[in-house]
Amino acid sequence: MSLQGPWAVLSAPGLLFAALGLAALSMPFMTLSANRIVAGDGVLAWRVADPSATLPGLAAIVAGLMLGLPSGRTRLHLAGAVLGLGGVLWVLMQGASALLDGAGDYARVSPSVGFWFLLVVLMLLMADALAAMTPRPLLRAAFLAAALVATAAILSSGALSDLSVMQEYAGRRDAFRSEFLRHLGLAFGSLAAATIIGFPLGILCHRRSRLRNATLPVLSFLQTIPSLAMFGLMIPILGWVGTTVPGAQAIGIAGIGFAPAFVALLLYSLLPVVGNTAAGLASAPAAAIEAARGMGMTPRQRLMRVELPLGLPIVLTGLRIVLVQNIGLAVIAGLIGGGGFGTFVFQGLNQTATDLILLGALPTVVLALVAAIVMDILVELARPTQTVTQ
Amino acid sequence: MKVGTVLRPALVALLLALILRPEWFTPVFAPLAPEGGPVIYERTSLLSLSLSHLGIVAAASAAATVVAVTLAILVTRPAGAAFRPLSRSIANMGQTFPPVAVLALAVPVLGFGAGPTLVALFLYGLLPIFENAIAGLTTLPPATMEAARGIGLSRWQRLIRVELPLALPVTLTGIRLSVIIALGTATIGSTVAARTLGEVIIAGLLTNNTAFVLQGGLIVGLFAMLIYDAMVQIELRLARRMGL
């Protein structure tokens, strides 16, 4: 409906992607700097290495963008996106080693604006194609697994190890591992604690509307408190608990570190868990409840066999919100000694070392995206009927 | 409601006192400060930090509102329909990006200062407003739209007089979400040298001065609660006026 006349054979988003992609090619693709702190000089995509080395990659990028042009050919769009991403990766690999050649011992190369822009454009082309194909949940899971395996293979192959962010990683391999586990511990641990507390509370809220009217506004006010303030406010509170309650210090409760971060995340998690549990249980159709009552089910049986199964997608949506939110908020823990990827982000900000910031921020973004996609798949699988037509 | 009528002025008074007369609270905060250390943050005036904080949030949210509503109008017109699925998936995926990561990633591109904070707040603020504006513009009651067409309103008149007013409550909810996220992210903005109230909290964290942390945290938290509450009240009043 968008393009008319002879232009109708072209996809409007495809045209936009091609234009943006070609514009991105005219921006600096990589940056070469003398060391890890100073600002570097941008290098255009076709200058990062010998033309004979970059040409196949550039051709793949342009061809990939062109494959996105024909209207309605979603599989072709997907193939174009994969081809283009391959091209971007090729140019990056060629450039990383060629630019460092003879540039000095402390020289660093990093991807620049052009690279990130092309990456975003091609990912959008892919997302647009995948959205149009509406793959079933299991196929989506397969796509995600394939993308993750490919990323892991590329990173572990060492083809990109000349990049500055990978050098930051190489120097912190062990720290990265432990901060990664700490980040997961914060995000999933607080999710588990919030579920243990929030799920029964949600069931109670569903049963007693007075409790519900008293609880939910308080929880939503808690959620408005800015994260840094919340993490900060936990420090005196838990510090006090640590020094006054006997035995609290022995299990690691102190004003600084893991405990305040964990409690802050837990408080943020309660609203989605409690609210969505109550909403999910309330979503069972009146006829189904009536039928269950007619069959002589006790309230407990009704809850387990009717209300919970029917409300499961909404309950899981609450957990999705919590998980994605906590993965992001756990970054703040880095400021109060709670560990996680935030440690790298704030160290990087202090040292103005861009690539150290990236080492913390990029895995966080990937983790949040993967969590969102996986939870979306679970929500869809939990729907009582697989054929949801809306 | 009755709780609100007492609590609201009390919280506003507390907030104003914390900002304008911080020295009144010396006895309260003194036990939390390190021995011999300063109890009340005096490096810069809390008022100017508050104004700068609110200014950054207001500027970013206003820009995000204008751009997001414009984009939502465009993709809900027939000519922009091809972009709707794409814009939806961008909004969905974009909201999984942690605000802190957006802020951190803006620094390499824009350097330190208020710039990256403004850009991060603006970009992140677009998504909830855009999503809600689309929801508002695509769930208009068909009978009303038919009536608007029937009385001979042009497409432009329908947009201005019928569609946008009807979509306003839902859009406002999006703006509220976005303002609250912006308030929180701006606090973290002080780690990239933006002048916000986060400065007080960070100063406290760096010098192990819990009094500073509590001061900054209370001010920012009160601001967030009161702004959230005010926006909810506006939404309720609007919904009541529209007879919803």
Side-chain angles (χ1 to χ4, degrees):
Chain A
M1 226 172 163
S2 55
L3 297 170
Q4 275 133 33
W7 291 96
V9 294
L10 294 181
S11 132
L15 266 178
L16 179 70
F17 293 143
L20 289 176
L22 293 179
L25 275 177
S26 64
M27 299 174 194
F29 189 82
M30 297 178 87
T31 312
L32 177 65
S33 47
N35 59 49
R36 68 192 276 262
I37 308 292
V38 298
D41 300 313
V43 188
L44 290 168
W46 55 87
R47 299 246 179 82
V48 294
D50 201 53
S52 60
T54 53
L55 201 60
L58 289 172
I61 296 171
V62 174
L65 289 170
M66 294 304 135
L67 285 180
L69 285 177
S71 176
R73 305 283 301 274
T74 47
R75 274 156 200 267
L76 207 60
H77 296 177
L78 187 63
V82 174
L83 182 66
L85 286 172
V88 169
L89 185 66
W90 174 267
V91 177
L92 193 66
M93 274 159 50
Q94 300 299 324
S97 50
L99 283 177
L100 274 186
D101 206 23
D105 286 344
Y106 298 104
R108 293 290 186 108
V109 277
S110 4
S112 187
V113 191
F115 166 83
W116 295 114
F117 209 41
L118 268 175
L119 191 69
V120 169
V121 167
L122 289 164
M123 299 268 245
L124 286 179
L125 178 60
M126 189 185 265
D128 197 33
L130 284 176
M133 287 164 78
T134 55
R136 285 175 168 264
L138 290 178
L139 188 60
R140 281 220 305 269
F143 274 133
L144 177 66
L148 287 178
V149 168
T151 313
I154 293 163
L155 289 180
S156 61
S157 72
L160 296 177
S161 58
D162 284 333
L163 287 182
S164 188
V165 62
M166 293 305 285
Q167 290 189 5
E168 298 286 346
Y169 168 71
R172 294 179 174 76
R173 220 175 274 265
D174 293 331
F176 187 86
R177 215 182 126 80
S178 64
E179 298 303 356
F180 178 52
L181 292 176
R182 181 53 87 83
H183 204 98
L184 289 182
L186 278 173
F188 282 92
S190 56
L191 172 72
T195 314
I196 292 169
I197 300 170
F199 191 60
L201 193 57
I203 294 175
L204 282 179
C205 282
H206 169 60
R207 296 255 173 91
R208 303 193 201 297
S209 61
R210 279 184 60 188
L211 180 67
R212 181 194 158 96
N213 293 341
T215 314
L216 290 186
V218 173
L219 293 182
S220 55
F221 266 124
L222 276 183
Q223 197 129 52
T224 62
I225 298 176
S227 45
L228 186 58
M230 179 78 103
F231 279 72
L233 293 175
M234 285 305 125
I235 293 176
I237 296 175
L238 284 175
W240 179 79
V241 172
T243 48
T244 50
V245 178
Q249 224 146 25
I251 56 167
I253 294 180
I256 235 71
F258 190 81
F262 187 85
V263 176
L265 289 179
L266 171 63
L267 289 179
Y268 279 124
S269 311
L270 284 176
L271 177 69
V273 175
V274 177
N276 278 45
T277 305
L281 295 178
S283 74
I289 306 277
E290 205 48 52
R293 207 172 281 150
M295 285 165 65
M297 283 191 189
T298 64
R300 194 190 157 77
Q301 286 173 324
R302 249 188 359 246
L303 177 72
M304 298 308 288
R305 299 208 203 147
V306 182
E307 291 169 319
L308 257 186
L310 286 175
L312 194 59
I314 299 182
V315 177
L316 282 177
T317 307
L319 297 188
R320 174 207 196 266
I321 297 172
V322 169
L323 190 56
V324 172
Q325 177 182 289
N326 281 1
I327 290 173
L329 285 175
V331 174
I332 319 275
L335 269 179
I336 58 166
F341 285 133
T343 315
F344 298 132
V345 173
F346 294 112
Q347 264 176 24
L349 286 173
N350 281 338
Q351 305 173 2
T352 64
T354 304
D355 296 291
L356 192 50
I357 301 177
L358 289 182
L359 185 64
L362 288 180
T364 313
V365 170
V366 173
L367 203 57
L369 272 177
V370 171
I373 296 172
V374 170
M375 289 303 290
D376 278 341
I377 292 173
L378 289 181
V379 169
E380 208 160 310
L381 287 176
R383 292 239 157 87
T385 43
Q386 282 293 309
T387 47
V388 183
T389 44
Q390 260 196 335
Chain B
M1 290 312 276
K2 273 179 202 151
V3 185
T5 45
V6 184
L7 205 56
R8 227 168 269 140
L11 290 180
V12 173
L14 176 63
L15 176 61
L16 287 177
L18 275 168
I19 295 173
L20 299 173
R21 292 282 177 272
E23 64 277 2
W24 288 358
F25 296 88
T26 312
V28 184
F29 292 131
L32 295 165
E35 257 171 68
V39 177
I40 299 300
Y41 189 80
E42 276 164 341
R43 251 172 267 174
T44 33
S45 99
L46 291 171
L47 179 65
S48 85
L49 281 182
S50 303
L51 290 178
S52 161
H53 191 126
L54 295 181
I56 289 176
V57 172
S61 299
T65 305
V66 172
V67 174
V69 172
T70 312
L71 286 175
I73 292 173
L74 286 180
V75 301
T76 48
R77 302 305 100 186
F83 288 97
R84 205 191 301 172
L86 175 69
S87 57
R88 272 248 156 105
S89 43
I90 294 180
N92 271 335
M93 285 290 142
Q95 285 183 60
T96 62
F97 271 63
V100 197
V102 177
L103 187 66
L105 292 175
V107 171
V109 187
L110 296 159
F112 285 80
T117 312
L118 268 173
V119 171
L121 296 190
F122 165 74
L123 283 180
Y124 205 80
L126 284 175
L127 303 170
I129 304 176
F130 177 73
E131 214 177 12
N132 279 46
I134 289 207
L137 286 170
T138 49
T139 51
L140 301 165
T144 314
M145 292 312 296
E146 203 51 51
R149 227 169 277 141
I151 62 171
L153 293 183
S154 71
R155 266 161 74 168
W156 180 247
Q157 286 171 322
R158 283 207 302 269
L159 176 67
I160 299 292
R161 294 210 216 146
V162 184
E163 297 179 38
L164 284 181
L166 279 177
L168 189 59
V170 186
T171 313
L172 271 181
T173 308
I175 296 176
R176 166 163 56 93
L177 286 175
S178 156
V179 167
I180 293 301
I181 297 174
L183 267 170
T185 314
T187 318
I188 306 160
S190 56
T191 58
V192 302
R195 286 196 72 237
T196 71
L197 287 164
E199 219 174 283
V200 185
I201 303 177
I202 303 276
L205 291 175
L206 290 179
T207 56
N208 275 328
N209 187 339
T210 314
F212 284 1
V213 174
L214 199 59
Q215 241 175 102
L218 276 177
I219 296 178
V220 177
L222 282 173
F223 263 127
M225 282 173 134
L226 289 169
I227 291 175
Y228 175 90
D229 179 60
M231 295 187 76
V232 170
Q233 296 306 322
I234 293 175
E235 281 163 49
L236 285 177
R237 192 158 296 180
L238 222 124
R240 232 175 288 145
R241 192 188 295 171
M242 289 173 56
L244 290 174

